Amino acid sequence: MNAFHYVLRSVAHYRAAYLGVLAGAVLGATVLLGALFAGDSVAASLRRIGEQRIGRTTHVLASGDRFFRQALADDLATAASAPTAPALIARGTATNPTTRSSINQVQLVGVTPAFWSFAPGPNALTPTLAAAQSEIALNDTLARRLQVTVGDTVVVRLQKPGVLAGNAPIAGAEAKLETLRCKVAAIVGDASFGRFNLQATQMAASTIFLPIELLQEAFKRPGRANLILLETAATLPLPALQLQLSRVLRLLDYGLTLKWREQPAAFELASERIFLDPEIVETVTRTLPAAQPAITYLVNELRIGDRTTPYSVATATNATAAPFLPADLGPREIVLNQWLADDLQAKAGDDVRVTYFQVGPADTLIEQDTAFRVRTIIPLAGLAADRAWMPDFPGISDSKHQSDWDPGLPLNLKRIRPQDEKYWDDFRGAPKAFVSLAAGREMWTTRWGTLTALRIAHPPAQTADLERTLLGVLRPEMNQLLLTNVRAGAQDA
């Protein structure tokens, strides 16, 4: 008997055990293969959902709670040789007025026709939405939840954003609830970009697509957007795209304005958000050391003894920006204009108490006061009477009467006197008092920034040169402008 026969006899003798081992191996292999197939299926499903969320988009430019020019999308498309679509994203509530059912936390997307070209499906629906008729499109998720169809009415409610997020001291009235009565013009499915969502989630968001002009009007932000979709070539790396972005940005994309001011014979760099971001201030002053800072603030009261002047504008700056101020103005000295001195019956050497709002713990507004001594009294004329010291305070600057102010602060406007109204009529926001920069920083620094303006001496005929200089040192992230490769994230899902 040779070895081969021994093996055969062994297999025959232990055949039951060997068959069990074989069956176990087959079962284990089957389980492993099933797991692999299931894993591939889940991964493929997640990738498909990711592609439905972003469509043909490869990158997005987002600005969080800030805004940039809608036209930036066209500028970026030209620079990067890539299709783009601007959008305005918000959150709101949708209500079916017939059934009175409401859905909260609805994604509101203000779009242009270019948005639909980013749809993932080859035969995607391209809704035509007329802003004049308040036409909207719903994704099928929201349509099912609201039980509405094409032709029905949907009431959309959204919060109009303030100039600044949070309880800022001067940010305008509280965010108002805007109501839009809209007509459903289309219901879009996943293939038609109905699943659009920049958040990595498997759940389909409830979404309303509106003409971007309709949302801009509700926000009082004409020509603005906070999102751009891009479809770039796979060979274009993110750093190259960021470089193209930096080349097409304008000051408005940073939320900045540059205006020539006649009285100081200088340009004024200011922010649409009232306070200049500290990083922008540092960058600009490092590049243009001659730029002169100013802080203008709303004070609740100026008091000498029992004599008071309510609700006035005060400015902190230096003698270079305001030559009528003493060069050695101390941190506890104040300069009054003649109108305020007459109103308070003040003279040099008198003690003045300045009361103002600041943000306290838990974002509560608290009233604070600081004592000063009158250094001198100046005529209400020339640069001292310049209305441009006051920035565009929401709820104040556009008011015809001082008693109509609505700055979002707990003001007692019944305190406004006829002489206060006369001052507002004649001089608007010309400051009634001036303090040093050190005093202004101590009193009026906020977490949103401190300075309300930088004044830059520069030839008025060379505006473009100055703007180029500023744009050359500013960076997109200074206004929360962030470019992201969303395609990579969707493929890795």
Side-chain angles (χ1 to χ4, degrees):
M1 184 177 293
N2 54 29
F4 179 71
H5 290 95
Y6 277 115
V7 171
L8 288 178
R9 292 180 64 183
S10 176
V11 169
H13 183 74
Y14 294 105
R15 59 185 179 277
Y18 288 148
L19 286 172
V21 171
L22 178 61
V26 171
L27 179 61
T30 302
V31 171
L32 288 175
L33 286 172
L36 288 173
F37 287 137
D40 287 343
S41 177
V42 170
S45 178
L46 291 175
R47 280 195 297 271
R48 184 174 65 256
I49 291 174
E51 291 169 357
Q52 290 172 342
R53 283 192 303 102
I54 66 171
R56 302 171 63 88
T57 311
T58 59
H59 298 79
V60 298
L61 174 67
S63 59
D65 63 351
R66 304 190 181 193
F67 302 90
F68 48 77
R69 294 175 300 126
Q70 179 183 333
L72 177 60
D74 294 332
D75 296 342
L76 189 54
T78 302
S81 300
T84 63
L88 190 54
I89 305 291
R91 290 279 170 182
T93 300
T95 301
N96 181 337
T98 302
T99 65
R100 299 187 181 277
S101 61
S102 293
I103 306 297
N104 297 322
Q105 288 300 307
V106 172
Q107 179 179 232
L108 306 178
V109 188
V111 301
T112 67
F115 175 85
W116 306 108
S117 66
F118 283 76
N123 300 313
L125 178 69
T126 305
T128 300
L129 306 177
Q133 281 73 49
S134 299
E135 291 181 340
I136 61 174
L138 274 61
N139 69 351
D140 50 12
T141 299
L142 181 58
R144 285 195 305 269
R145 296 182 67 187
L146 282 181
Q147 299 179 350
V148 296
T149 187
V150 173
D152 288 347
T153 297
V154 171
V155 176
V156 180
R157 293 183 176 87
L158 61 149
Q159 290 284 347
K160 175 186 171 184
V163 174
L164 292 171
N167 201 13
I170 308 173
E174 294 182 3
K176 294 181 179 178
L177 188 66
E178 297 288 333
T179 300
L180 306 175
R181 193 173 184 87
C182 304
K183 178 182 178 182
V184 178
I187 295 175
V188 293
D190 293 352
S192 299
F193 226 2
R195 205 181 184 108
F196 170 75
N197 194 349
L198 294 180
Q199 297 180 0
T201 175
Q202 299 177 46
M203 301 294 294
S206 295
T207 304
I208 296 177
F209 302 96
L210 310 89
I212 194 169
E213 301 87 354
L214 197 60
L215 210 49
Q216 289 168 342
E217 183 180 355
F219 281 179
K220 302 296 186 287
R221 296 289 196 282
R224 299 305 172 90
N226 58 12
L227 184 73
I228 295 177
L229 310 183
L230 299 96
E231 183 188 2
T232 64
T235 55
L236 183 64
L238 183 59
L241 188 58
Q242 290 170 328
L243 179 61
Q244 297 295 343
L245 171 65
S246 64
R247 289 174 175 171
V248 297
L249 288 173
R250 298 292 176 262
L251 290 179
L252 274 179
D253 299 319
Y254 290 98
L256 300 174
T257 59
L258 186 66
K259 297 179 180 178
W260 174 256
R261 299 300 189 187
E262 291 292 341
Q263 285 287 354
F267 284 96
E268 183 179 83
L269 184 69
S271 171
E272 293 183 324
R273 295 166 56 82
I274 302 174
F275 299 104
L276 289 165
D277 289 295
E279 190 175 8
I280 289 179
V281 171
E282 181 183 354
T283 300
V284 172
T285 53
R286 185 171 59 245
T287 304
L288 301 169
Q292 299 303 316
I295 311 167
T296 297
Y297 211 81
L298 177 66
V299 299
N300 300 344
E301 182 184 83
L302 296 113
R303 173 182 289 271
I304 294 180
D306 58 357
R307 300 182 296 277
T308 65
T309 300
Y311 307 127
S312 306
V313 172
T315 293
T317 188
N318 56 34
T320 304
F324 53 83
L325 294 179
D328 59 346
L329 186 64
R332 285 295 175 267
E333 292 181 322
I334 191 169
V335 173
L336 310 183
N337 70 15
Q338 189 64 59
W339 186 96
L340 180 61
D342 293 342
D343 194 50
L344 292 176
Q345 301 175 30
K347 61 183 184 300
D350 284 350
D351 292 329
V352 177
R353 187 163 293 277
V354 178
T355 304
Y356 50 91
F357 280 120
Q358 254 299 2
V359 179
D363 271 0
T364 56
L365 281 175
I366 57 175
E367 199 170 47
Q368 297 180 337
D369 60 77
T370 303
F372 292 91
R373 177 157 295 176
V374 178
R375 171 70 179 269
T376 188
I377 296 168
I378 57 173
L380 182 53
L383 185 57
D386 188 7
R387 304 178 179 194
W389 285 110
M390 185 182 79
D392 187 10
F393 288 152
I396 294 179
S397 300
D398 295 335
S399 298
K400 184 177 180 180
H401 304 289
Q402 188 172 3
S403 55
D404 295 333
W405 282 6
D406 188 15
L409 300 171
L411 306 184
N412 179 10
L413 296 178
K414 293 180 179 179
R415 296 184 60 195
I416 302 298
R417 306 161 300 171
Q419 60 262 43
D420 301 320
E421 289 284 12
K422 182 69 166 56
Y423 186 94
W424 181 251
D425 290 342
D426 294 343
F427 303 104
R428 305 297 286 182
K432 296 175 184 174
F434 292 84
V435 296
S436 68
L437 275 171
R441 287 191 170 101
E442 180 184 345
M443 293 187 293
W444 301 327
T445 292
T446 74
R447 72 166 185 266
W448 299 276
T450 301
L451 301 187
T452 55
L454 284 169
R455 292 193 165 181
I456 305 167
H458 193 83
Q462 299 179 14
T463 308
D465 292 339
L466 179 56
E467 186 167 349
R468 277 193 295 270
T469 298
L470 293 170
L471 290 171
V473 296
L474 297 174
R475 300 188 306 278
E477 58 270 21
M478 292 180 179
N479 196 38
Q480 298 182 13
L481 295 171
L482 181 63
L483 263 174
T484 306
N485 185 337
V486 293
R487 172 66 57 191
Q491 290 175 341
D492 292 341

